[in-house]
Amino acid sequence: MSDAIKHECGIAMVRLLKPLQYYKDKYGSSFYGLNKTYLLMEKQHNRGQDGAGLANIKLDMEPGKRYISRHRSNSSTPIKDVFAHINGRFEEEFKENPEHIQDPEWLKQNLPFTGELFLGHLRYGTHGGNTIEHCHPFLRQNNWMTRNLVLAGNFNMTNVDELFQQLVEIGQHPKEKADTVTVLEKIGHFLDEENDRLYYEFKQKGYSKANATPLIAENIDVQRILFESAKKWDGGYAIAGMMGHGDAFVMRDPAGIRPAHWYQDDEVLVVASERPAIQTAFNLKWEDVKEIKPGYALIIKKDGTISEKKFREPLEQKSCSFERIYFSRGSDKDIYQERKELGRLVVAPVLKELDYDVKNTVFSFIPNTAETSFYGMVKGVEDYINILKTDQILSGKRSLDAAQVREILNMRARVEKLTIKDAKLRTFITDDVHRDDLVSHVYDITYGTVKRGQDNVVLIDDSIVRGTTLKQSILRIVDRLGPKKIVIVSSAPQIRYPDCYGIDMAKLGDFMVFRAAVELLKETKQTNILDDVYEQAKAQMDLPIEKIVNVVKQVYKPFTAEQLAGKSAEIISPANMNAEVKLIFQSIEGLHSACPNHLGDWYFTGNYPTPGGNRVVNRAFINYMEGKNVRAY
């Protein structure tokens, strides 16, 4: 994606199922669990560069011994910073007592991050600050072991106001109106209630407080806690939690919007946002790794018992298609093939736009994340060229000489590395004119690859949100090569609607295609539609959430996808361009064909998987009409 947006967070959980000495004896390290957690986090670093955190719980520690460790960082290299801090403690100890590195039980009793249960988190902040206090895991502390809660997740809730008010109504005083706080306190509230229920149950049976404590830890009903906590949640989430005594869970939203994968054998239970991270860290086949079912929670009891239990009735599965297009690492077996197919499926409209002149066309991609879809596009072009070769050879019959046959066989797609991202420039210049000039140099070009005034250039991007980088940088520099036409291809459909489930796309006015629709309404004297939709959206705000519909769809209804693409091309074309600029987008049908198991397409269609999504898009439109540059959730 050439436009920089923040998105998605990542989770990593490791639960060791054997005594610590087992891993030292088998793998030669007292830090097997810590090392595996580091690897899981590093292999998911694409999911968060605003912050990172790690928490660890030690099982069966005696009173007076520390059993929860946590460290977080919001530095520019947060994963490195977290683990450097942890390893620094070990290095200090081993300088004085090198023999302790061979004794995992001594380490557990005396040093942090040496327990059996790990929870790591990688953060991209969709909104709010980037202080250390915004970094997961969050910790809800209590002097009773079974009331401690550690929480981290990849989530956004659309109804934070309601969730906050519910906490107030039960007598709480949350320190902040944020979904992270409300989720933590909601689960914490029902964890407290579960402790109270069990305590009074055992008290009636004659147990003392001290004797009841281990029985409470053994009998806590995690499924009941999650069921009660999540009743009113509206959003996309994969939320992981650990309780002080050693129970743990990972829960996935009922529509399966956010991803969560897991693996278990007799040594370890591991959960991560992405499948390849687990495969790499534990040397597994792709089929060894499972997905947590939507509306279910993976529950890991302190005794090592593992089960998958339902806490919400599953909805129609709408797993995020952006995971497949862009966010997740392309090393996943299925994602790699899906991205190639997304590229292949845009070939037909690209060839039509080129009037099938592949001889005078250079194919390339922007940015590096679009490389896989580029392979698919080139394969599709090569397939077309092979048909041409076959037709020419057959039509020539025996009249072709060897030189002519070689010329036909040498026909192939012209593939070049046209654009290069030189560096991520952080400008200190504040005025718009000079800052834009500096930003335009983030990308550079490979000179001499295009025949001036003769060649077309086709550049594929995985998706286009705002079009800012195209306008300020890429189109300007590619135009210097002198092509007669530049065709920008998006392997994703047109982004028309905001996201509210974990991606930083919240303001309608930022979207290139929305701006194109508004311009077309003005040109066709249909701006009354904007006023009508505004009134409808305001009226929708007073309805019960389940009755709210997405009225913003009406803004796009008068126009075809081709008309919107044409106007978008005008919007992003810099002044004084010499080349003609065209935009081609993936179709919705193509998206569903390439990614049949991930039909969460609300960014493109406006078909939100939860009622809260409809309210968010209507509120975003109200904000746009009222000139409010604020988020809609």
Side-chain angles (χ1 to χ4, degrees), residues 20 23 52 117 228 243 298 300 451 482:
L20 296 178
Y23 305 95
L117 182 54
E228 294 294 342
M243 298 166 193
L298 191 67
I300 309 100
K451 290 176 283 187

Side-chain angles (χ1 to χ4, degrees), residues 19 75 245 256 302 354 432 476 503 534 551-552 631:
S75 76
H245 63 285
K302 185 248 181 184
L354 297 171
D432 291 340
R476 289 180 181 178
I503 303 169
Y534 174 64
V551 298
V552 182
R631 307 182 64 86

Side-chain angles (χ1 to χ4, degrees), residues 384-603:
Y384 167 73
I385 291 174
N386 285 337
I387 293 172
L388 284 183
K389 292 178 181 179
T390 303
D391 289 345
Q392 290 184 24
I393 291 172
L394 291 177
S395 63
K397 297 183 180 178
R398 300 192 180 189
S399 64
L400 297 174
D401 59 27
Q404 289 172 315
V405 172
R406 280 195 298 271
E407 183 180 357
I408 293 171
L409 292 178
N410 284 334
M411 289 172 56
R412 55 178 52 88
R414 292 173 58 196
V415 172
E416 302 288 354
K417 179 81 170 177
L418 283 187
T419 62
I420 306 160
K421 196 168 186 178
D422 250 353
K424 187 173 182 180
L425 298 179
R426 297 183 180 274
T427 176
F428 56 87
I429 301 172
T430 57
D431 65 282
D432 291 340
V433 174
H434 292 93
R435 183 175 63 247
D436 287 351
D437 181 65
L438 184 58
V439 169
S440 72
H441 292 84
V442 170
Y443 283 87
D444 206 345
I445 45 173
T446 306
Y447 293 95
T449 51
V450 173
K451 290 176 283 187
R452 287 187 172 275
Q454 183 177 339
D455 282 345
N456 306 301
V457 166
V458 175
L459 293 171
I460 191 167
D461 196 346
D462 24 45
S463 56
I464 305 169
V465 184
R466 305 178 182 97
T468 307
T469 305
L470 286 169
K471 183 168 186 172
Q472 294 182 352
S473 181
I474 291 168
L475 286 172
R476 289 180 181 178
I477 62 171
V478 174
D479 194 48
R480 295 177 200 156
L481 295 174
K484 61 182 181 181
K485 181 185 286 188
I486 301 172
V487 182
I488 303 294
V489 184
S490 170
S491 69
Q494 297 174 358
I495 296 173
R496 302 182 178 188
Y497 304 95
D499 180 69
C500 50
Y501 304 119
I503 303 169
D504 188 21
M505 300 192 302
K507 302 171 187 175
L508 273 172
D510 287 346
F511 300 154
M512 175 188 66
V513 178
F514 178 79
R515 299 198 307 273
V518 172
E519 287 301 312
L520 287 171
L521 288 173
K522 291 177 182 177
E523 291 177 6
T524 57
K525 295 181 170 52
Q526 297 184 79
T527 53
N528 61 293
I529 290 176
L530 297 174
D531 297 325
D532 293 343
V533 173
Y534 174 64
E535 294 301 326
Q536 292 176 45
K538 292 197 72 173
Q540 290 270 317
M541 291 297 103
D542 296 327
L543 295 177
I545 190 170
E546 63 275 7
K547 293 187 177 181
I548 296 177
V549 297
N550 179 0
V551 298
V552 182
K553 290 183 179 183
Q554 298 172 46
V555 173
Y556 300 101
K557 193 173 181 180
F559 311 111
T560 65
E562 290 73 21
Q563 287 175 305
L564 291 164
K567 180 53 66 175
S568 297
E570 292 179 24
I571 289 173
I572 64 169
S573 296
N576 304 317
M577 280 283 294
N578 294 311
E580 180 185 7
V581 176
K582 294 291 184 178
L583 273 176
I584 292 175
F585 291 88
Q586 182 68 257
S587 66
I588 299 297
E589 295 76 18
L591 173 67
H592 291 171
S593 174
C595 309
N597 299 317
H598 290 75
L599 302 178
D601 60 7
W602 54 92
Y603 332 90

Side-chain angles (χ1 to χ4, degrees), residues 233-377:
W233 291 356
D234 186 291
Y237 50 89
I239 299 174
M242 308 186 298
M243 298 166 193
H245 63 285
D247 282 1
F249 62 86
V250 183
M251 56 198 305
R252 191 179 183 199
D253 66 83
I257 296 170
R258 299 274 72 90
H261 297 81
W262 66 287
Y263 167 77
Q264 174 200 355
D265 58 24
D266 63 345
E267 296 181 351
V268 68
L269 177 284
V270 56
V271 182
S273 295
E274 298 195 26
R275 180 170 63 180
I278 300 176
Q279 288 181 247
T280 299
F282 292 88
N283 192 26
L284 302 171
K285 301 182 183 70
W286 67 268
E287 58 266 30
D288 294 332
V289 183
K290 306 173 187 176
E291 276 194 87
I292 297 176
K293 297 193 290 284
Y296 280 71
L298 191 67
I299 296 174
I300 309 100
K301 294 294 290 180
K302 185 248 181 184
D303 64 4
T305 304
I306 297 163
S307 59
E308 198 174 6
K309 294 186 177 180
K310 184 168 66 176
F311 68 91
R312 284 280 300 273
E313 202 60 41
L315 303 172
E316 181 183 1
Q317 187 160 346
K318 294 290 185 180
S319 300
C320 172
S321 58
F322 249 129
E323 286 280 350
R324 324 304 286 181
I325 296 167
Y326 171 66
F327 293 147
S328 293
R329 291 171 75 101
S331 56
D332 182 273
K333 167 187 170 289
D334 292 334
I335 292 175
Y336 181 76
Q337 296 301 329
E338 289 165 9
R339 289 181 182 175
K340 284 179 64 177
E341 183 67 2
L342 287 167
R344 190 189 69 80
L345 288 172
V346 294
V347 168
V350 168
L351 291 174
K352 184 178 179 182
E353 179 60 46
L354 297 171
D355 198 22
Y356 300 91
D357 183 11
V358 293
K359 182 179 179 181
N360 296 303
T361 299
V362 175
F363 296 89
S364 194
F365 58 92
I366 45 155
N368 290 341
T369 53
E371 186 174 5
T372 306
S373 60
F374 171 71
Y375 293 149
M377 181 177 69

